[in-house]
Every structure is written in structure tokens, then in C-alpha cells.
Amino acid sequence: MSTRLGHGLSLLFALGILAVLVYSVFGPMPMVACSALAKGYQPILAFELARSASDVQAIFGHCVSLCRETLEAAFASVNFSDNFIFIPIYSLFLVFFFVGARARDPLLAMLAILIVILAALGDWVENHCLAEIAASPDSPPAQAMMLLHYATATKWIALGIAGFIGGLIVGQAGGLANNIAFVLCAAGLILTGLALSYSPVFGPHISNAIVLSWLVFLIVDIREFFRGAAR
């Protein structure tokens, strides 16, 4: 597969990511926590980073209520779309980005593709655990809570490392823009680690950390696709 075609397909799936994100913001069932979360802390992120029953109840409330029923219904919808739409779309966005980047560094690109697959597997396991916990938020299964911790860490760290490798590949080309791209991707990996280690402070920003590298990839996709067209 040519560099231009790889980046072109990655760009196509990037548009799919944007469509999913727009729908999640303006969709019919927004997720609203039944208890107080830090300002700007999305309930789904707080749920992914939950490590105890009290963390879960901070999202679903401490007893059965209309709010909890609404939240559980919203979560079930998000979990379904995440499993069958969002995970495949963002995985293909990243895989095709690295397919396009193979000409620059085949070894790093192949390593990144394997890491992206690991992230997707971690994401699916994470969603399975979240579904089990959501079914019993007052007494979440201990095994599901433990597995959630490892699956979540695997997913986010893998995405952060994939972003870092992408930045490294881009930065190898030299030049101010490419060096800035590398710095942003490296910062994304650092912020991801901080969010997992200090979730009460940095947890609300974990998705933003990954977005740094994804924005870089999107810009590179556009540049390489249209550069190839010009040639």
C-alpha cells in the first residue's frame, strides 16, 4: 500500500472519529453523573478510572434512583457504540496512519501497529468490565474492578506509546513543524501517565492527552495525502 493511500484511508477514518464525537456531544442521551464529580470530568472517564466501590458510587449515586436508571441506559448505549463503532474506527485511523508512515521507519511503524491492536483489545476488555460493574454499582464485583484497572491502564498507555512513536517517526524528518509534532506527541504520553497515576487531578484530561497525538496525525494525514496528489 502506498504512503498516500495509507494516509488517505487514515484521514477517512479520522472523519469517522469526528462524526462519533459530534454525536456523543449532541446525541439524545448525554451522560450525567448522579453525584458530584470534578468540573469537566466526564462520567465515562471517571468510570474507566474508578478503582473502588466509592468511585463507582460517585458516578451512579448511592442508591437506586431515576438518575441512576437514566445513567445506566446512557452508559449501555455508549458501551455498545464504543465496542462496535468507535474502537474499530479509531483503531483503523491509527493503523492506516502507520501504514502510511512505513516508508519513513518500517520497524517503528510495525511496532506501533501492534501496540494499537493491544490498545483495542484492552478497550474491549475494559468495556466488558464496565458492563459488569454497571449492573451492580452498589457492590461491584472485585474481579471486574481489578481487571478494569489493568485493561484501562493497558489501553491508555498503549495509545500514549503509539502516539509517541508516531511523533518520533514524524520528527525524524526534521524541520520546525515536525519537531513540534514530536514534542506534542511526547507530551501526550507524559500526560497519559500522569492521568493514570494521579487520576483525581489529571484524570479529567486523559482523553485530551491522546487527542494531542491524534491531531498531529490528522494534520500529517492531510499533508501527505494532498502532497501525494500534487505529485
Side-chain angles (χ1 to χ4, degrees), residues 124-153:
W124 275 313
V125 173
E126 173 192 274
N127 285 344
H128 175 74
C129 295
L130 293 176
E132 281 193 35
I133 296 168
S136 182
D138 291 320
S139 54
Q143 185 175 359
M145 291 295 299
M146 180 181 67
L147 187 57
L148 174 65
H149 171 71
Y150 292 113
T152 300

PDB file of all heavy atoms in Angstrom, residues 124-153:
ATOM      1  N   TRP A 124     -11.719  -3.270  24.622  1.00  0.00           N
ATOM      2  CA  TRP A 124     -12.850  -4.204  24.643  1.00  0.00           C
ATOM      3  C   TRP A 124     -12.972  -4.898  26.002  1.00  0.00           C
ATOM      4  O   TRP A 124     -14.076  -5.081  26.517  1.00  0.00           O
ATOM      5  CB  TRP A 124     -12.691  -5.234  23.531  1.00  0.00           C
ATOM      6  CG  TRP A 124     -13.224  -4.755  22.201  1.00  0.00           C
ATOM      7  CD1 TRP A 124     -14.421  -4.149  21.971  1.00  0.00           C
ATOM      8  CD2 TRP A 124     -12.563  -4.824  20.930  1.00  0.00           C
ATOM      9  NE1 TRP A 124     -14.558  -3.837  20.628  1.00  0.00           N
ATOM     10  CE2 TRP A 124     -13.433  -4.246  19.969  1.00  0.00           C
ATOM     11  CE3 TRP A 124     -11.328  -5.338  20.504  1.00  0.00           C
ATOM     12  CZ2 TRP A 124     -13.104  -4.161  18.612  1.00  0.00           C
ATOM     13  CZ3 TRP A 124     -11.003  -5.252  19.159  1.00  0.00           C
ATOM     14  CH2 TRP A 124     -11.879  -4.668  18.235  1.00  0.00           C
ATOM     15  N   VAL A 125     -11.843  -5.284  26.587  1.00  0.00           N
ATOM     16  CA  VAL A 125     -11.880  -5.890  27.918  1.00  0.00           C
ATOM     17  C   VAL A 125     -12.398  -4.873  28.935  1.00  0.00           C
ATOM     18  O   VAL A 125     -13.208  -5.205  29.811  1.00  0.00           O
ATOM     19  CB  VAL A 125     -10.484  -6.407  28.330  1.00  0.00           C
ATOM     20  CG1 VAL A 125     -10.495  -6.875  29.787  1.00  0.00           C
ATOM     21  CG2 VAL A 125     -10.040  -7.539  27.410  1.00  0.00           C
ATOM     22  N   GLU A 126     -11.933  -3.645  28.818  1.00  0.00           N
ATOM     23  CA  GLU A 126     -12.399  -2.579  29.705  1.00  0.00           C
ATOM     24  C   GLU A 126     -13.915  -2.436  29.640  1.00  0.00           C
ATOM     25  O   GLU A 126     -14.591  -2.359  30.676  1.00  0.00           O
ATOM     26  CB  GLU A 126     -11.739  -1.262  29.300  1.00  0.00           C
ATOM     27  CG  GLU A 126     -12.258  -0.040  30.026  1.00  0.00           C
ATOM     28  CD  GLU A 126     -11.768   1.239  29.377  1.00  0.00           C
ATOM     29  OE1 GLU A 126     -10.657   1.671  29.726  1.00  0.00           O
ATOM     30  OE2 GLU A 126     -12.487   1.794  28.517  1.00  0.00           O
ATOM     31  N   ASN A 127     -14.472  -2.417  28.445  1.00  0.00           N
ATOM     32  CA  ASN A 127     -15.919  -2.262  28.294  1.00  0.00           C
ATOM     33  C   ASN A 127     -16.687  -3.437  28.890  1.00  0.00           C
ATOM     34  O   ASN A 127     -17.778  -3.259  29.446  1.00  0.00           O
ATOM     35  CB  ASN A 127     -16.275  -2.100  26.813  1.00  0.00           C
ATOM     36  CG  ASN A 127     -15.921  -0.725  26.283  1.00  0.00           C
ATOM     37  OD1 ASN A 127     -15.680   0.203  27.050  1.00  0.00           O
ATOM     38  ND2 ASN A 127     -15.874  -0.590  24.976  1.00  0.00           N
ATOM     39  N   HIS A 128     -16.119  -4.630  28.763  1.00  0.00           N
ATOM     40  CA  HIS A 128     -16.753  -5.798  29.392  1.00  0.00           C
ATOM     41  C   HIS A 128     -16.815  -5.625  30.912  1.00  0.00           C
ATOM     42  O   HIS A 128     -17.845  -5.898  31.548  1.00  0.00           O
ATOM     43  CB  HIS A 128     -15.981  -7.062  29.030  1.00  0.00           C
ATOM     44  CG  HIS A 128     -16.468  -8.293  29.725  1.00  0.00           C
ATOM     45  ND1 HIS A 128     -17.652  -8.931  29.382  1.00  0.00           N
ATOM     46  CD2 HIS A 128     -15.957  -8.993  30.773  1.00  0.00           C
ATOM     47  CE1 HIS A 128     -17.842  -9.962  30.174  1.00  0.00           C
ATOM     48  NE2 HIS A 128     -16.826 -10.044  31.031  1.00  0.00           N
ATOM     49  N   CYS A 129     -15.720  -5.157  31.495  1.00  0.00           N
ATOM     50  CA  CYS A 129     -15.671  -4.938  32.949  1.00  0.00           C
ATOM     51  C   CYS A 129     -16.646  -3.843  33.367  1.00  0.00           C
ATOM     52  O   CYS A 129     -17.347  -3.970  34.385  1.00  0.00           O
ATOM     53  CB  CYS A 129     -14.254  -4.566  33.371  1.00  0.00           C
ATOM     54  SG  CYS A 129     -13.026  -5.859  33.119  1.00  0.00           S
ATOM     55  N   LEU A 130     -16.698  -2.765  32.582  1.00  0.00           N
ATOM     56  CA  LEU A 130     -17.610  -1.662  32.908  1.00  0.00           C
ATOM     57  C   LEU A 130     -19.058  -2.127  32.899  1.00  0.00           C
ATOM     58  O   LEU A 130     -19.858  -1.705  33.743  1.00  0.00           O
ATOM     59  CB  LEU A 130     -17.414  -0.513  31.916  1.00  0.00           C
ATOM     60  CG  LEU A 130     -16.074   0.230  31.974  1.00  0.00           C
ATOM     61  CD1 LEU A 130     -15.993   1.262  30.860  1.00  0.00           C
ATOM     62  CD2 LEU A 130     -15.877   0.896  33.333  1.00  0.00           C
ATOM     63  N   ALA A 131     -19.409  -2.998  31.948  1.00  0.00           N
ATOM     64  CA  ALA A 131     -20.779  -3.507  31.886  1.00  0.00           C
ATOM     65  C   ALA A 131     -21.106  -4.335  33.124  1.00  0.00           C
ATOM     66  O   ALA A 131     -22.207  -4.230  33.682  1.00  0.00           O
ATOM     67  CB  ALA A 131     -20.958  -4.339  30.623  1.00  0.00           C
ATOM     68  N   GLU A 132     -20.160  -5.147  33.576  1.00  0.00           N
ATOM     69  CA  GLU A 132     -20.379  -5.944  34.790  1.00  0.00           C
ATOM     70  C   GLU A 132     -20.548  -5.041  36.006  1.00  0.00           C
ATOM     71  O   GLU A 132     -21.426  -5.274  36.854  1.00  0.00           O
ATOM     72  CB  GLU A 132     -19.193  -6.883  35.019  1.00  0.00           C
ATOM     73  CG  GLU A 132     -19.192  -8.130  34.157  1.00  0.00           C
ATOM     74  CD  GLU A 132     -18.184  -9.151  34.653  1.00  0.00           C
ATOM     75  OE1 GLU A 132     -17.994  -9.261  35.881  1.00  0.00           O
ATOM     76  OE2 GLU A 132     -17.576  -9.822  33.809  1.00  0.00           O
ATOM     77  N   ILE A 133     -19.725  -4.029  36.115  1.00  0.00           N
ATOM     78  CA  ILE A 133     -19.776  -3.132  37.269  1.00  0.00           C
ATOM     79  C   ILE A 133     -21.051  -2.300  37.252  1.00  0.00           C
ATOM     80  O   ILE A 133     -21.690  -2.091  38.292  1.00  0.00           O
ATOM     81  CB  ILE A 133     -18.527  -2.228  37.299  1.00  0.00           C
ATOM     82  CG1 ILE A 133     -17.270  -3.084  37.495  1.00  0.00           C
ATOM     83  CG2 ILE A 133     -18.633  -1.178  38.391  1.00  0.00           C
ATOM     84  CD1 ILE A 133     -15.976  -2.333  37.241  1.00  0.00           C
ATOM     85  N   ALA A 134     -21.447  -1.837  36.076  1.00  0.00           N
ATOM     86  CA  ALA A 134     -22.656  -1.015  35.965  1.00  0.00           C
ATOM     87  C   ALA A 134     -23.905  -1.801  36.365  1.00  0.00           C
ATOM     88  O   ALA A 134     -24.894  -1.219  36.805  1.00  0.00           O
ATOM     89  CB  ALA A 134     -22.805  -0.485  34.544  1.00  0.00           C
ATOM     90  N   ALA A 135     -23.864  -3.110  36.213  1.00  0.00           N
ATOM     91  CA  ALA A 135     -25.010  -3.940  36.585  1.00  0.00           C
ATOM     92  C   ALA A 135     -25.164  -4.051  38.092  1.00  0.00           C
ATOM     93  O   ALA A 135     -26.241  -4.408  38.586  1.00  0.00           O
ATOM     94  CB  ALA A 135     -24.858  -5.336  35.976  1.00  0.00           C
ATOM     95  N   SER A 136     -24.104  -3.726  38.839  1.00  0.00           N
ATOM     96  CA  SER A 136     -24.166  -3.818  40.304  1.00  0.00           C
ATOM     97  C   SER A 136     -23.295  -2.730  40.923  1.00  0.00           C
ATOM     98  O   SER A 136     -22.271  -3.006  41.561  1.00  0.00           O
ATOM     99  CB  SER A 136     -23.687  -5.201  40.755  1.00  0.00           C
ATOM    100  OG  SER A 136     -23.770  -5.329  42.155  1.00  0.00           O
ATOM    101  N   PRO A 137     -23.669  -1.457  40.750  1.00  0.00           N
ATOM    102  CA  PRO A 137     -22.810  -0.361  41.208  1.00  0.00           C
ATOM    103  C   PRO A 137     -22.666  -0.261  42.729  1.00  0.00           C
ATOM    104  O   PRO A 137     -21.685   0.306  43.217  1.00  0.00           O
ATOM    105  CB  PRO A 137     -23.500   0.890  40.643  1.00  0.00           C
ATOM    106  CG  PRO A 137     -24.918   0.484  40.423  1.00  0.00           C
ATOM    107  CD  PRO A 137     -24.877  -0.969  40.073  1.00  0.00           C
ATOM    108  N   ASP A 138     -23.615  -0.814  43.493  1.00  0.00           N
ATOM    109  CA  ASP A 138     -23.519  -0.735  44.950  1.00  0.00           C
ATOM    110  C   ASP A 138     -22.530  -1.753  45.517  1.00  0.00           C
ATOM    111  O   ASP A 138     -21.963  -1.554  46.593  1.00  0.00           O
ATOM    112  CB  ASP A 138     -24.899  -0.946  45.582  1.00  0.00           C
ATOM    113  CG  ASP A 138     -25.833   0.219  45.293  1.00  0.00           C
ATOM    114  OD1 ASP A 138     -25.362   1.365  45.326  1.00  0.00           O
ATOM    115  OD2 ASP A 138     -27.017  -0.033  45.014  1.00  0.00           O
ATOM    116  N   SER A 139     -22.357  -2.854  44.787  1.00  0.00           N
ATOM    117  CA  SER A 139     -21.382  -3.870  45.212  1.00  0.00           C
ATOM    118  C   SER A 139     -20.690  -4.433  43.977  1.00  0.00           C
ATOM    119  O   SER A 139     -20.959  -5.566  43.562  1.00  0.00           O
ATOM    120  CB  SER A 139     -22.073  -4.996  45.986  1.00  0.00           C
ATOM    121  OG  SER A 139     -23.136  -5.540  45.215  1.00  0.00           O
ATOM    122  N   PRO A 140     -19.822  -3.623  43.354  1.00  0.00           N
ATOM    123  CA  PRO A 140     -19.181  -4.051  42.116  1.00  0.00           C
ATOM    124  C   PRO A 140     -18.311  -5.285  42.325  1.00  0.00           C
ATOM    125  O   PRO A 140     -17.627  -5.393  43.349  1.00  0.00           O
ATOM    126  CB  PRO A 140     -18.333  -2.831  41.720  1.00  0.00           C
ATOM    127  CG  PRO A 140     -18.158  -2.049  42.976  1.00  0.00           C
ATOM    128  CD  PRO A 140     -19.388  -2.276  43.782  1.00  0.00           C
ATOM    129  N   PRO A 141     -18.332  -6.238  41.386  1.00  0.00           N
ATOM    130  CA  PRO A 141     -17.527  -7.453  41.513  1.00  0.00           C
ATOM    131  C   PRO A 141     -16.033  -7.111  41.648  1.00  0.00           C
ATOM    132  O   PRO A 141     -15.509  -6.325  40.858  1.00  0.00           O
ATOM    133  CB  PRO A 141     -17.811  -8.211  40.218  1.00  0.00           C
ATOM    134  CG  PRO A 141     -19.104  -7.655  39.725  1.00  0.00           C
ATOM    135  CD  PRO A 141     -19.132  -6.229  40.154  1.00  0.00           C
ATOM    136  N   ALA A 142     -15.380  -7.701  42.635  1.00  0.00           N
ATOM    137  CA  ALA A 142     -13.967  -7.401  42.890  1.00  0.00           C
ATOM    138  C   ALA A 142     -13.102  -7.774  41.695  1.00  0.00           C
ATOM    139  O   ALA A 142     -12.160  -7.046  41.335  1.00  0.00           O
ATOM    140  CB  ALA A 142     -13.501  -8.141  44.144  1.00  0.00           C
ATOM    141  N   GLN A 143     -13.412  -8.915  41.053  1.00  0.00           N
ATOM    142  CA  GLN A 143     -12.608  -9.348  39.920  1.00  0.00           C
ATOM    143  C   GLN A 143     -12.732  -8.373  38.753  1.00  0.00           C
ATOM    144  O   GLN A 143     -11.743  -8.057  38.080  1.00  0.00           O
ATOM    145  CB  GLN A 143     -13.030 -10.744  39.472  1.00  0.00           C
ATOM    146  CG  GLN A 143     -12.152 -11.327  38.369  1.00  0.00           C
ATOM    147  CD  GLN A 143     -12.524 -12.754  38.032  1.00  0.00           C
ATOM    148  OE1 GLN A 143     -13.427 -13.326  38.617  1.00  0.00           O
ATOM    149  NE2 GLN A 143     -11.813 -13.349  37.076  1.00  0.00           N
ATOM    150  N   ALA A 144     -13.946  -7.879  38.524  1.00  0.00           N
ATOM    151  CA  ALA A 144     -14.154  -6.918  37.442  1.00  0.00           C
ATOM    152  C   ALA A 144     -13.426  -5.608  37.728  1.00  0.00           C
ATOM    153  O   ALA A 144     -12.859  -4.995  36.824  1.00  0.00           O
ATOM    154  CB  ALA A 144     -15.648  -6.667  37.248  1.00  0.00           C
ATOM    155  N   MET A 145     -13.426  -5.178  38.991  1.00  0.00           N
ATOM    156  CA  MET A 145     -12.719  -3.955  39.363  1.00  0.00           C
ATOM    157  C   MET A 145     -11.215  -4.106  39.149  1.00  0.00           C
ATOM    158  O   MET A 145     -10.554  -3.189  38.642  1.00  0.00           O
ATOM    159  CB  MET A 145     -13.000  -3.604  40.825  1.00  0.00           C
ATOM    160  CG  MET A 145     -14.424  -3.169  41.116  1.00  0.00           C
ATOM    161  SD  MET A 145     -14.902  -1.610  40.317  1.00  0.00           S
ATOM    162  CE  MET A 145     -13.720  -0.459  41.036  1.00  0.00           C
ATOM    163  N   MET A 146     -10.671  -5.253  39.517  1.00  0.00           N
ATOM    164  CA  MET A 146      -9.237  -5.484  39.345  1.00  0.00           C
ATOM    165  C   MET A 146      -8.873  -5.545  37.862  1.00  0.00           C
ATOM    166  O   MET A 146      -7.906  -4.915  37.418  1.00  0.00           O
ATOM    167  CB  MET A 146      -8.824  -6.776  40.035  1.00  0.00           C
ATOM    168  CG  MET A 146      -7.333  -7.089  39.910  1.00  0.00           C
ATOM    169  SD  MET A 146      -6.858  -8.643  40.713  1.00  0.00           S
ATOM    170  CE  MET A 146      -7.731  -9.826  39.656  1.00  0.00           C
ATOM    171  N   LEU A 147      -9.673  -6.288  37.082  1.00  0.00           N
ATOM    172  CA  LEU A 147      -9.399  -6.416  35.656  1.00  0.00           C
ATOM    173  C   LEU A 147      -9.570  -5.074  34.945  1.00  0.00           C
ATOM    174  O   LEU A 147      -8.823  -4.763  33.999  1.00  0.00           O
ATOM    175  CB  LEU A 147     -10.325  -7.463  35.043  1.00  0.00           C
ATOM    176  CG  LEU A 147     -10.062  -7.842  33.577  1.00  0.00           C
ATOM    177  CD1 LEU A 147      -8.632  -8.331  33.391  1.00  0.00           C
ATOM    178  CD2 LEU A 147     -11.061  -8.905  33.126  1.00  0.00           C
ATOM    179  N   LEU A 148     -10.534  -4.272  35.417  1.00  0.00           N
ATOM    180  CA  LEU A 148     -10.738  -2.940  34.847  1.00  0.00           C
ATOM    181  C   LEU A 148      -9.473  -2.097  34.973  1.00  0.00           C
ATOM    182  O   LEU A 148      -9.087  -1.392  34.033  1.00  0.00           O
ATOM    183  CB  LEU A 148     -11.908  -2.241  35.549  1.00  0.00           C
ATOM    184  CG  LEU A 148     -12.146  -0.774  35.156  1.00  0.00           C
ATOM    185  CD1 LEU A 148     -12.559  -0.676  33.695  1.00  0.00           C
ATOM    186  CD2 LEU A 148     -13.203  -0.145  36.059  1.00  0.00           C
ATOM    187  N   HIS A 149      -8.826  -2.171  36.119  1.00  0.00           N
ATOM    188  CA  HIS A 149      -7.599  -1.401  36.357  1.00  0.00           C
ATOM    189  C   HIS A 149      -6.536  -1.734  35.311  1.00  0.00           C
ATOM    190  O   HIS A 149      -5.943  -0.840  34.692  1.00  0.00           O
ATOM    191  CB  HIS A 149      -7.073  -1.694  37.759  1.00  0.00           C
ATOM    192  CG  HIS A 149      -5.715  -1.127  38.031  1.00  0.00           C
ATOM    193  ND1 HIS A 149      -5.498   0.223  38.186  1.00  0.00           N
ATOM    194  CD2 HIS A 149      -4.509  -1.732  38.152  1.00  0.00           C
ATOM    195  CE1 HIS A 149      -4.203   0.436  38.406  1.00  0.00           C
ATOM    196  NE2 HIS A 149      -3.582  -0.733  38.387  1.00  0.00           N
ATOM    197  N   TYR A 150      -6.316  -3.027  35.077  1.00  0.00           N
ATOM    198  CA  TYR A 150      -5.274  -3.438  34.132  1.00  0.00           C
ATOM    199  C   TYR A 150      -5.672  -3.135  32.685  1.00  0.00           C
ATOM    200  O   TYR A 150      -4.839  -2.707  31.874  1.00  0.00           O
ATOM    201  CB  TYR A 150      -4.972  -4.925  34.306  1.00  0.00           C
ATOM    202  CG  TYR A 150      -4.310  -5.241  35.624  1.00  0.00           C
ATOM    203  CD1 TYR A 150      -4.979  -5.982  36.595  1.00  0.00           C
ATOM    204  CD2 TYR A 150      -3.029  -4.779  35.908  1.00  0.00           C
ATOM    205  CE1 TYR A 150      -4.375  -6.272  37.817  1.00  0.00           C
ATOM    206  CE2 TYR A 150      -2.423  -5.056  37.128  1.00  0.00           C
ATOM    207  CZ  TYR A 150      -3.097  -5.813  38.076  1.00  0.00           C
ATOM    208  OH  TYR A 150      -2.498  -6.077  39.277  1.00  0.00           O
ATOM    209  N   ALA A 151      -6.954  -3.361  32.365  1.00  0.00           N
ATOM    210  CA  ALA A 151      -7.407  -3.118  30.993  1.00  0.00           C
ATOM    211  C   ALA A 151      -7.344  -1.637  30.645  1.00  0.00           C
ATOM    212  O   ALA A 151      -6.897  -1.252  29.556  1.00  0.00           O
ATOM    213  CB  ALA A 151      -8.836  -3.635  30.820  1.00  0.00           C
ATOM    214  N   THR A 152      -7.778  -0.794  31.589  1.00  0.00           N
ATOM    215  CA  THR A 152      -7.750   0.647  31.366  1.00  0.00           C
ATOM    216  C   THR A 152      -6.318   1.146  31.201  1.00  0.00           C
ATOM    217  O   THR A 152      -6.016   1.932  30.294  1.00  0.00           O
ATOM    218  CB  THR A 152      -8.424   1.384  32.533  1.00  0.00           C
ATOM    219  OG1 THR A 152      -9.781   0.958  32.635  1.00  0.00           O
ATOM    220  CG2 THR A 152      -8.393   2.888  32.324  1.00  0.00           C
ATOM    221  N   ALA A 153      -5.438   0.697  32.096  1.00  0.00           N
ATOM    222  CA  ALA A 153      -4.036   1.111  32.012  1.00  0.00           C
ATOM    223  C   ALA A 153      -3.418   0.658  30.696  1.00  0.00           C
ATOM    224  O   ALA A 153      -2.686   1.415  30.041  1.00  0.00           O
ATOM    225  CB  ALA A 153      -3.251   0.546  33.190  1.00  0.00           C
TER     226      ALA A 153
END
